[in-house]
Amino acid sequence: MNTLESNHDRDDRAAGVLLGAACGDALGVPYEFAARLSEEEVPAMVGGGLGPYAPGEYSDDTQMAVCIAESLRDHDDPRSGPALEQTARAFLTWRRDGATDIGAQTARVLGDTERALADDGAGETGAAEAMTRLSARMFGAGERSAGNGSLMRTAPLALAHLDDRHQLAETVRVYSLLTHGDPLAAQACVLWCEAIRQAVVDGSDEGPRSGLDLLESHDRDTWAGHLAEAEDSPPRAFAPNGFVVRALQAAWSAIAHTPVEAGDRNRYAAPVWAAVRAGDDTDTVAAIAGALVGARWGRSAVPEEYLAAVHGWPGYQADGLAKLAGEIVRRHGG
Ligand SMILES: [Mg+2]
């Protein structure tokens, strides 16, 4: 394969990350917290759900991912103060103006941050600093801090670090800790982002195992066990899946139990349908799975009818999401 072809393929996979997540999200929206679909039922982008959403409209998962993606598009160093501040401010703006629904933990941390900023008459408090501090305090107080809300929005970070998996892991931790003080959430994001990174770079389907070495040594066996459990049990075994470990297991189980090949028409859709059939937090599990499946097979594998329908806050459609993915890759030298 010549360089031009391989660049084209990689750009296709990069676009597939955001489009795969958004289409998974929109496919899962109608079934969130509703009766679980049977193995024969095929999810459809009919809208409804918690919003209620229009057909094809994506939800909080992709809305928050877009906040991160735009910051990565606008800044050279994702961990710099300005980049983190733009993301944190975008989360707050989204909560006020765009959030069609919002997870309990994220709502709590963003609400606390809003109040902390309002209490600071001098306006010297940074939103990112306050958000990270308040989520850490929540975790320190023993409150539930390992929801799936940072994993659902983490995929764009892979696009800003295609050449450096260690830098990716560092950045992912920082972005997870904005709202999720529990290191478990960050660990899940590291594994998933590294799987996405590798899939974009070379079409790998190795999955989240490839990132185990990026975790602290004492966490590797635990996560290897979580992944083995996902490979052994069907997606529905991991519902309820609001806990980040269960959400990752449900998404990985859906992919691992749905073998597809390059020529398959449903190579993107079939694993994502399996993720929706996991039940419970269907849009989030399908957004998580969709980001990795989209990274593996690219935009060109996502059905045209999904690309034509997908849309959401703050006004993106498929072409805009694909363009955003390309801009992140180019800015970060991938
Ligand atoms: Mg959602």
Side-chain angles (χ1 to χ4, degrees):
M1 190 183 293
N2 68 41
T3 307
L4 212 57
E5 278 174 359
S6 69
N7 281 346
H8 174 270
D9 289 348
R10 202 200 52 179
D11 289 349
D12 186 53
R13 291 193 293 267
V17 174
L18 295 192
L19 290 169
C23 290
D25 186 352
L27 273 171
V29 150
Y31 314 100
E32 186 174 15
F33 304 134
R36 201 174 63 75
L37 294 183
S38 71
E39 299 305 310
E40 289 73 41
E41 285 175 283
V42 176
M45 287 186 185
V46 293
L50 298 185
Y53 292 91
E57 186 177 5
Y58 58 70
S59 71
D60 57 334
D61 314 69
T62 309
Q63 293 164 0
M64 293 193 84
V66 161
C67 293
I68 294 176
E70 290 182 341
S71 184
L72 299 173
R73 174 198 64 195
D74 294 344
H75 298 278
D76 289 331
D77 177 0
R79 296 202 298 281
S80 68
L84 283 165
E85 191 65 12
Q86 179 174 327
T87 298
R89 296 272 171 190
F91 286 172
L92 295 177
T93 301
W94 163 74
R95 173 176 170 268
R96 280 193 306 270
D97 302 337
T100 35
D101 72 295
I102 184 167
Q105 186 181 339
T106 297
R108 167 86 184 281
V109 171
L110 298 192
D112 286 354
T113 304
E114 200 79 79
R115 278 185 290 280
L117 296 180
D119 289 346
D120 171 22
E124 289 173 349
T125 307
E129 183 274 327
M131 203 174 280
T132 305
R133 176 167 44 82
L134 291 163
S135 70
R137 193 174 74 183
M138 209 171 136
F139 173 61
E143 297 182 51
R144 288 178 144 200
S145 301
N148 59 25
S150 64
L151 180 60
M152 74 184 193
R153 64 174 197 237
T154 201
L157 294 168
L159 299 175
H161 297 283
L162 291 179
D163 295 336
D164 194 329
R165 61 202 296 277
H166 294 281
Q167 290 292 320
L168 171 61
E170 286 303 303
T171 300
V172 161
R173 288 189 179 96
V174 172
Y175 278 75
S176 183
L177 288 169
L178 277 171
T179 51
H180 288 61
D182 194 323
L184 266 180
Q187 291 158 14
C189 294
V190 167
L191 292 179
W192 208 251
C193 276
E194 169 55 11
I196 291 169
R197 188 198 68 80
Q198 202 163 359
V200 171
V201 168
D202 61 11
S204 158
D205 55 6
E206 197 180 333
R209 275 179 193 286
S210 65
L212 284 171
D213 68 297
L214 294 168
L215 304 182
E216 302 286 339
S217 53
H218 51 83
D219 297 320
R220 288 175 199 156
D221 287 349
T222 308
W223 275 101
H226 292 326
L227 297 176
E229 200 186 352
E231 287 151 7
D232 289 344
S233 304
R236 64 176 180 276
F238 304 100
N241 38 49
F243 176 41
V244 67
V245 175
R246 306 281 284 180
L248 186 146
Q249 287 178 307
W252 182 232
S253 170
I255 295 170
H257 286 85
T258 315
V260 291
E261 292 177 11
D264 293 351
R265 193 162 63 92
N266 289 330
R267 59 195 184 283
Y268 165 81
V272 174
W273 294 341
V276 175
R277 294 188 193 110
D280 195 49
D281 199 351
T282 46
D283 59 314
T284 293
V285 173
I288 295 165
L292 180 52
V293 179
R296 168 69 182 90
W297 297 112
R299 172 198 176 123
S300 52
V302 181
E304 277 303 324
E305 62 173 296
Y306 294 170
L307 295 176
V310 74
H311 70 282
W313 182 89
Y316 281 100
Q317 297 179 326
D319 283 350
L321 291 172
K323 181 162 173 274
L324 182 56
E327 287 168 340
I328 297 170
V329 171
R330 277 192 293 284
R331 176 159 205 136
H332 297 274

